[in-house]
Amino acid sequence: MGPTSGLLARVSPGVLRAGPRELGTLTPRGHLTYPGPSFQVRLQVQSVEKPQYRGTLHCFQAIIKQESVLGLYRGLGSPLLGLTFINALVFGVQGNTLRALGRDSPLNQFLAGAAAGAIQCVICCPMELAKTRLQLQEAGPARTYRGPLDCLAQIYRQEGLRGVNRGMVSTLLRETPSFGVYFLTYDVLTRALGCEPGDRLLVPKLLLAGGTSGIASWLSTYPVGVVKSRLQAMGCRARPRYRGIVDCVQQSYADEGWRVFTRGWCPRCCARRPALASTSSPTTC
């Protein structure tokens, strides 16, 4: 049994002989946790001088009132397009890196997860750029983009390849350690909980491990995610506000204090916990 199979054996009695459909349910970080991200982005990038929303509940009510329930799911098409490719990259890179490291240990789980997180940024960054722009554009006939592909095409025509990859460095700074923390936490918890084949409490243990790992991974890099959202949202405005990551951090802190780097955390956390718990269990095919 190779180094990768140690973790897989603790995940499910049948996962070692599972096909792509079963393995796809083991995604470490589901991107389809709507409508949480819709709240998150709007709260993260709103102006401190003229805030549009007073909080999560007010944001929810405003979206429903102005855009109907469909407004909660704006930008969903972008994660849908990229999710399959991201999952393939994450598990391919994580598994091969773990085998190359030669031993299934917590440290190697972190390193393999971090490598997977870094590689998937190639898809994740443009995907989240399109999602952010779609969520922030005006609703109705006046909207700028018709969908994620049209959004990326327009950005490419106006800003070139650099525009399509706006926020890549901040995405790398967020995703690399975050995926490492996820796989490390999941590995430690499944070992500690004794997630072995045949355990009658296997599914509840996996749900607990998956949900807790997801929370830990997002907490570990959440402030970087706020910076990333602000940088990627700049194209929605006539004039770029930030010159880069450091300038964004300095201006955000100067204007709003340290709490700005936790803005939007509540809806994100509420959405991620059940989604990450369920996607960690092989029973949710």
Side-chain angles (χ1 to χ4, degrees):
M1 183 175 289
T4 308
S5 59
L7 175 62
L8 293 179
R10 294 195 304 278
V11 172
S12 167
V15 76
L16 293 179
R17 56 181 181 275
R21 181 167 179 269
E22 288 77 14
L23 287 177
T25 64
L26 299 173
T27 173
R29 286 152 54 97
H31 288 272
L32 302 183
T33 52
Y34 273 70
S38 182
F39 297 162
Q40 175 201 14
V41 171
R42 297 187 192 207
L43 291 170
Q44 284 177 346
V45 305
Q46 69 176 345
S47 170
V48 64
E49 293 86 5
K50 297 180 180 179
Q52 187 176 359
Y53 309 110
R54 295 189 299 271
T56 302
L57 181 59
H58 181 243
C59 182
F60 176 84
Q61 293 172 334
I63 293 173
I64 293 291
K65 183 178 180 180
Q66 297 167 12
E67 307 172 39
S68 79
V69 176
L70 294 179
L72 299 173
Y73 296 88
R74 188 192 295 181
L76 178 61
S78 181
L80 280 172
L81 286 175
L83 186 62
T84 300
F85 301 103
I86 286 178
N87 285 344
L89 275 177
V90 167
F91 283 101
V93 173
Q94 194 268 348
N96 284 305
T97 303
L98 196 57
R99 278 190 289 271
L101 291 172
R103 190 164 66 93
D104 180 10
S105 66
L107 175 60
N108 286 347
Q109 287 286 350
F110 176 85
L111 295 176
I119 295 298
Q120 61 90 43
C121 287
V122 175
I123 298 174
C124 177
C125 180
M127 181 192 79
E128 295 210 350
L129 173 66
K131 182 190 73 174
T132 299
R133 299 282 180 90
L134 288 168
Q135 287 175 345
L136 297 177
Q137 72 173 345
E138 294 293 331
R143 68 183 187 274
T144 306
Y145 312 113
R146 296 189 301 273
L149 294 180
D150 179 59
C151 177
L152 291 175
Q154 288 196 45
I155 294 173
Y156 179 78
R157 287 196 297 268
Q158 297 168 9
E159 306 175 48
L161 190 60
R162 184 175 181 179
V164 173
N165 289 292
R166 183 186 295 274
M168 178 63 78
V169 175
S170 55
T171 302
L172 280 166
L173 291 175
R174 184 191 71 172
E175 298 293 280
T176 301
S178 182
F179 269 79
V181 168
Y182 179 89
F183 278 101
L184 168 64
T185 307
Y186 191 73
D187 180 71
V188 170
L189 286 176
T190 51
R191 291 176 189 273
L193 293 172
C195 297
E196 301 292 342
D199 187 344
R200 64 186 181 87
L201 296 177
L202 178 63
V203 172
K205 289 178 179 179
L206 291 176
L207 292 173
L208 175 63
T212 304
S213 301
I215 295 294
S217 71
W218 275 105
L219 283 176
S220 66
T221 58
Y222 191 83
V224 184
V226 176
V227 174
K228 179 197 73 69
S229 294
R230 294 193 160 204
L231 291 172
Q232 290 186 328
M234 284 196 302
C236 298
R237 301 179 175 90
R239 183 173 169 222
R241 180 177 179 182
Y242 309 114
R243 296 189 300 272
I245 295 175
V246 175
D247 184 52
C248 180
V249 172
Q250 291 175 338
Q251 286 197 48
S252 298
Y253 180 77
D255 293 341
E256 305 171 61
W258 66 268
R259 291 183 182 276
V260 66
F261 300 110
T262 65
R263 183 183 290 178
W265 180 83
C266 181
R268 188 66 164 184
C269 179
C270 293
R272 298 297 276 185
R273 172 107 194 187
L276 284 159
S278 63
T279 53
S280 298
S281 172
T283 62
T284 57
C285 295

